[in-house]
């Protein structure tokens, strides 16, 4: 007899349109759809075509009209400023309507883009929802990116307006954001007409006359704006993510399908009910922040936590437990790296014991591979189920998970469990044939994708097809490799491209190589992600200097580190590099990054038969030993 998960999965497979139409009934549609899934222009399938919808209305107004106005919608908890601010659904709606009015007063209307470059302050969430309210398309850029990266996003999204703040606060450091934004706008070809700035007392920003407005001034004078229904297929947001080159990909999210998928996931993946407190300890700059700090919990009528702090150091490794206890959190979602950081500082879980975690029910982890040690440690310390689940910016919600709301399946540490209803996950070999159970292949999703996943890339249908759909026709390429076991459990083992995952942050080593290659002393280079006890992976650079360069590692490496920081940003966490005589390559000139990674990770390796000269691997081994990576036995 199939269990509830299996029955649900089957229903979603057998009749996806009936399945998702039923899920859509929980939301409010200004006009109902004509087609649940419009397949007229494959591979560009569109969900809820013909419908009129407003995401902000469904996140806020709908709940107020149904009596949730006095319930908490958003709790901002900021240990770095020693602040807690609470917003009921009514208060949040009013704040959002006012900012929406301010945007409208500046000429922003449906379809216009707004870049949001902000730290974890309530105004960031309010700004996102305000865009959604008037049908504008937001694009949030993570604060840890450098001006050059921000400029690339400004040029691609071509925003009419930018919402920003004077500074962010990282631990005990105040980081002025506004100079970075000013520099980005100077670098960008496209010039936004307006910038609205939240002035934080920790570092006030100077405003450019005629272009910049103080957030308070802009909002005080604005009349609240009502929700503007848009086509369900219209874009809600663009979120840029690392691709296989230094050029970021603008992942588009629609309104209707996104809301249906997230609302369904809150109940069935996370098992969260309206009125409960749900906390995604991530950043609004990442997809986890979009889906599960902002949209998912609010669509569900839950209370969401916006946490401006770290798992450790703000002030101690008990920070998460304090937040859970103080705000009555039922479900926490974070990245394994946060737990590795906590475990390092508090291996016995002493800080945990100082807080009342009785209402805490489930921990979800995602964003990077979850090593079984971390999962088991968290489970033993917390005494609640710990669920690894797997997804990516492009899908917007979980591809594989233990769907707690459908009845928990046994947990197998190392596996994010089984495909979530709606996703047809296949493991394919080089030739496109399905791999037998237990054998590694490329993980793909059979088209069409369920609602919530990217319909395309911003202004780049061809790029969407080339990046994701061309390798295995009829399938979406996730970029991950892995296998399925006899029970249908998936195991996500590695990327098939140059993406690495540093502290749950997705980065392209190709992008870092592009930066290193520009250094005047560098002839060629390679960047490889190697295992790190806390961050999961960190990038290490190997450079070969040009003939005649006499400067050595001690001079060149700090310059390389600084260049990556300046070009990509501190989030790249690029701190280690070595100057080597040669790079290991195949005879056809392909750099053997995989072998270098194995050496650094202390894993057994064999020199590929196609290697140019095996002695080069010894040179790499020596360089790694110099950097503190012991030679493999
Ligand atoms: N604005 C500006 N700079 C930022 C930033 C932001 N929003 N976020 C990070 N940075 C900076 C950091 O200050 C750091 O700079 P430094 O090199 O000058 O010290 C750098 O980017 C790297 O940051 P991070 O990778 O976060 O490392 P960390 O040492 O500060 O913290 C962890 C490590 C594990 C505690 C932290 O990454 C974490 O809490 N991760 C878990 C959750 C998470 O956010 N996951 C993301 C997706 S779910
Ligand atoms: P992002 O788009 O930033 O969310 O990163 C997505 C990528 O992170 C995926 O394609 C995987 O490579 C990795 N990832 C996310 N979650 C998991 C997980 N649970 N297990 C293994 N890898 C994961």
């Amino acid at each position: 007899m199939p269990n509830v998960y299996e029955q649900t999965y089957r229903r979603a497979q057998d009749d996806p349109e009936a399945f998702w139409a039923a899920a859509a009934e929980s939301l409010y549609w200004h006009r109902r759809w004509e087609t649940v899934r419009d397949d007229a222009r494959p591979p560009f399938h569109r969900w809820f075509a013909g419908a009129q919808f407003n995401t902000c209305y469904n996140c806020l107004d709908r709940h107020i009209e149904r009596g949730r106005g006095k319930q908490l919608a958003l709790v901002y908890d900021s240990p770095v400023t020693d602040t807690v601010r609470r917003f009921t659904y009514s208060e949040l709606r009013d704040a959002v309507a006012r900012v929406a009015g301010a945007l409208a007063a500046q000429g922003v209307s449906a379809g216009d883009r707004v870049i949001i470059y902000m730290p974890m302050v309530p105004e960031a969430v309010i700004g996102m929802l305000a865009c959604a309210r008037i049908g504008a398309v937001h694009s949030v850029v993570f604060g840890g990116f450098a001006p050059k990266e921000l400029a690339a996003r400004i040029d691609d999204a071509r925003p009419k307006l930018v919402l920003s703040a004077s500074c962010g606060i990282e631990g005990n450091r105040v980081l002025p954001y506004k100079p970075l934004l000013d520099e980005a706008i100077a670098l960008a070809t496209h010039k936004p007409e307006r910038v609205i700035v939240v002035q934080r007392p920790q570092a006030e920003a100077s405003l450019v006359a005629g272009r910049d407005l103080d957030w308070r001034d802009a909002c005080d004078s604005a009349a609240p704006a009502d929700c503007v229904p848009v086509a369900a297929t219209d874009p809600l947001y663009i979120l840029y993510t690392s691709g296989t080159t230094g050029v970021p990909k603008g992942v588009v999210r629609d309104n209707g399908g996104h809301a249906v998928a997230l609302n369904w996931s809150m109940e069935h993946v996370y098992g969260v009910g309206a009125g409960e407190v749900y906390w995604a300890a991530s950043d609004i700059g990442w997809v986890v922040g979009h889906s599960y700090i902002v949209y998912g919990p609010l669509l569900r009528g839950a209370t969401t936590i916006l946490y401006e702090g770290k798992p450790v150091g703000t002030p101690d490794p008990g920070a998460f437990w304090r937040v859970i206890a103080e705000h009555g959190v039922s479900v926490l979602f974070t990245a394994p790296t946060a737990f590795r950081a906590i475990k390092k500082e508090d291996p016995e879980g002493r800080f945990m014991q100082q807080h009342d975690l009785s209402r805490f029910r489930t921990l979800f982890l995602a964003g990077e591979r979850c090593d079984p040690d971390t999962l088991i440690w968290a489970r033993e310390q917390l005494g609640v189920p710990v669920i690894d689940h797997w997804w990516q910016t492009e899908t917007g919600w979980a591809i594989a998970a233990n769907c707690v709301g459908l009845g928990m399946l046994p947990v197998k540490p190392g596996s994010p469990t089984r495909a979530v209803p709606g996703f047809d996950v296949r493991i394919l070999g080089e030739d496109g044939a399905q791999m037998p159970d237990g054998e590694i292949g490329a993980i793909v999703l059979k088209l069409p994708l369920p609602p919530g996943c990217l319909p395309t890339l911003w202004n780049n249908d061809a790029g969407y097809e080339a990046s994701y759909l061309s390798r295995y026709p009829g399938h979406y390429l996730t970029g991950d490799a892995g296998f399925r076991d006899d029970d249908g459990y998936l195991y996500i083992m590695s990327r098939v491209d140059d993406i690495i995952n540093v502290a749950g942050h997705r980065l392209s080593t190709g992008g870092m190589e592009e930066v290193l290659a520009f250094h005047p002393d560098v002839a060629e280079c390679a960047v490889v992600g190697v295992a790190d006890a806390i961050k999961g992976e960190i990038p290490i650079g190997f450079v070969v200097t040009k003939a005649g360069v006499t400067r050595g590692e001690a001079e060149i490496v700090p310059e390389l580190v600084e260049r990556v920081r300046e070009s990509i940003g501190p989030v790249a966490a690029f701190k280690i590099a070595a100057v080597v005589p040669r790079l290991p390559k195949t005879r056809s000139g392909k750099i053997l990054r995989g072998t270098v990674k194995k050496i650094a990770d202390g894993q057994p390796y064999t020199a590929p038969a196609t290697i140019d000269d095996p002695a080069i691997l010894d040179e790499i081994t020596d360089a790694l030993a110099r950097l503190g990576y012991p030679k493999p036995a």
Side-chain angles (χ1 to χ4, degrees):
M1 172 76 182
N3 56 39
V4 177
Y5 156 76
E6 281 160 350
Q7 289 169 14
T8 312
Y9 187 84
R10 194 53 17 241
R11 275 196 297 117
Q13 281 311 108
D14 290 347
D15 193 348
E17 296 202 46
F19 186 89
W20 292 112
E25 295 297 347
S26 326
L27 300 171
Y28 179 80
W29 300 82
H30 286 82
R31 188 172 79 211
R32 286 176 70 82
W33 51 89
E34 284 153 17
T35 326
V36 182
R37 193 185 66 211
D38 175 3
D39 296 336
R41 202 170 67 92
F44 301 94
H45 305 273
R46 285 144 37 106
W47 286 92
F48 304 104
Q52 290 276 308
F53 188 83
N54 185 281
T55 297
C56 180
Y57 181 85
N58 276 280
C59 285
L60 301 176
D61 306 62
R62 179 173 60 102
H63 299 304
I64 297 164
E65 284 160 21
R66 294 179 190 182
R68 286 194 184 278
K70 293 202 175 84
Q71 183 201 303
L72 286 182
L74 174 72
V75 176
Y76 163 62
D77 186 305
S78 168
V80 294
T81 57
D82 200 16
T83 312
V84 174
R85 270 174 76 190
R86 296 179 172 84
F87 297 77
T88 63
Y89 268 92
S90 291
E91 287 164 348
L92 187 59
R93 193 265 319 265
D94 292 348
V96 167
R98 197 164 282 282
V99 175
L103 292 175
Q106 296 307 323
V108 177
S109 60
D112 287 336
R113 274 81 56 215
V114 172
I115 286 227
I116 301 181
Y117 184 62
M118 289 177 95
M120 291 283 283
V121 291
E123 289 83 353
V125 175
I126 292 168
M128 291 165 77
L129 290 163
C131 290
R133 195 167 186 85
I134 56 170
V137 181
H138 63 69
S139 185
V140 182
V141 179
F142 178 63
F145 282 120
K148 207 162 154 252
E149 291 282 328
L150 177 55
R153 286 151 175 81
I154 291 174
D155 276 336
D156 196 69
R158 305 181 66 77
K160 189 164 230 174
L161 183 146
V162 178
L163 296 176
S164 192
S166 56
C167 66
I169 303 163
E170 277 287 298
N172 54 13
R173 284 176 302 158
V174 174
L175 304 178
Y177 269 38
K178 182 62 175 18
L180 304 179
L181 173 62
D182 288 340
E183 193 183 332
I185 293 176
L187 286 170
T189 312
H190 172 83
K191 307 291 176 196
E193 289 163 29
R194 273 275 171 271
V195 175
I196 301 183
V197 183
V198 175
Q199 291 285 19
R200 304 187 81 187
Q202 293 79 8
E204 295 226 345
S206 58
L207 302 182
V208 175
R211 187 196 70 185
D212 300 353
L213 291 173
D214 183 309
W215 183 283
R216 230 175 280 152
D217 298 340
C219 295
D220 280 355
S221 54
D226 221 338
C227 294
V228 175
V230 293
T233 50
D234 277 348
L236 168 69
Y237 70 76
I238 309 165
L239 179 56
Y240 289 90
T241 189
S242 300
T244 45
T245 64
V247 184
K249 292 175 178 163
V251 168
V252 173
R253 197 81 59 210
D254 65 9
N255 274 275
H258 171 248
V260 171
L262 290 192
N263 192 41
W264 188 90
S265 75
M266 286 302 295
E267 180 178 358
H268 298 101
V269 176
Y270 300 99
V272 171
E276 290 200 288
V277 184
Y278 178 91
W279 177 24
S282 176
D283 189 288
I284 46 135
W286 307 117
V287 70
V288 176
H290 282 63
S291 294
Y292 295 112
I293 296 175
V294 183
Y295 292 111
L298 296 178
L299 285 163
R300 186 79 181 123
T303 302
T304 186
I305 308 280
L306 181 75
Y307 175 68
E308 189 181 28
K310 298 261 174 184
V312 295
T314 56
D316 56 41
F320 274 19
W321 325 130
R322 192 230 356 121
V323 173
I324 290 175
E326 204 169 311
H327 306 302
V329 173
S330 300
V331 174
L332 168 66
F333 173 175
T334 191
T337 188
F339 267 77
R340 289 194 297 267
I342 295 169
K343 180 180 167 202
K344 180 164 177 254
E345 292 200 9
D346 183 22
E348 312 296 330
R350 292 215 171 86
F351 283 86
M352 227 175 255
Q353 289 148 23
Q354 296 165 14
H355 299 278
D356 172 13
L357 304 185
S358 55
R359 279 184 285 178
F360 184 51
R361 203 168 59 225
T362 326
L363 169 65
F364 283 85
L365 298 174
E368 55 170 331
R369 185 172 156 71
C370 181
D371 52 294
D373 278 359
T374 301
L375 186 141
I376 292 164
W377 181 83
R379 188 168 63 191
E380 282 173 358
Q381 297 296 329
L382 289 164
V384 299
V386 179
I387 310 293
D388 175 16
H389 62 322
W390 165 64
W391 51 293
Q392 47 187 206
T393 305
E394 290 85 342
T395 63
W397 64 294
I399 311 167
N402 201 329
C403 295
V404 166
L406 296 174
M408 246 182 78
L409 302 176
V411 170
K412 296 193 194 185
S415 165
T417 317
R418 297 173 63 174
V420 168
F423 288 94
D424 185 349
V425 181
R426 310 266 170 110
I427 316 285
L428 303 185
E430 283 286 316
D431 57 359
Q434 290 207 49
M435 299 298 284
D437 287 347
E439 287 190 30
I440 292 189
I443 314 182
V444 302
L445 309 176
K446 190 166 182 307
L447 297 176
L449 299 174
C453 299
L454 81 171
T456 188
L457 294 176
W458 179 248
N459 273 342
N460 192 3
D461 284 354
Y464 171 60
E465 287 193 271
S467 299
Y468 300 103
L469 310 182
S470 62
R471 176 64 185 86
Y472 296 104
H475 300 84
Y476 163 88
L477 186 72
T478 65
D480 286 309
F483 64 93
R484 195 193 316 259
D485 73 9
D486 301 346
D487 297 323
Y489 280 55
L490 291 162
Y491 291 78
I492 318 302
M493 305 309 290
S494 60
R495 291 285 304 190
V496 296
D497 51 21
D498 72 348
I499 302 274
I500 58 167
N501 216 305
V502 183
H505 307 144
R506 172 170 158 179
L507 297 158
S508 154
T509 53
M512 297 185 215
E513 288 177 3
E514 282 174 27
V515 176
L516 301 189
F518 265 105
H519 189 286
D521 292 347
V522 171
E524 54 178 351
C525 63
V527 175
V528 175
V530 307
D532 181 79
I534 301 293
K535 296 196 175 192
E537 258 181 324
I538 52 163
I540 296 193
F542 298 88
V543 300
V544 178
T545 50
K546 288 179 183 157
V549 171
T550 51
R551 295 171 359 115
E553 202 166 75
E555 289 153 288
I556 295 173
V557 168
E559 292 169 6
L560 298 175
V561 169
E562 194 46 39
R563 276 176 177 244
V564 175
R565 203 179 167 86
E566 265 178 21
S567 292
I568 298 175
V571 67
F574 181 87
K575 297 198 167 146
I576 306 176
V579 174
V580 291
R582 298 174 291 176
L583 291 175
K585 291 183 191 165
T586 61
R587 277 190 284 278
S588 60
K590 196 167 167 277
I591 298 174
L592 293 162
R593 293 180 181 79
T595 312
V596 175
K597 176 175 168 54
K598 280 193 176 148
I599 300 174
D601 290 350
Q603 286 176 14
Y605 70 93
T606 40
T610 52
I611 192 168
D612 197 19
D613 177 1
I616 304 177
L617 293 180
D618 296 331
E619 294 163 11
I620 294 289
T621 306
D622 290 342
L624 281 162
R626 229 170 36 239
L627 298 174
Y629 290 81
K631 292 188 182 187

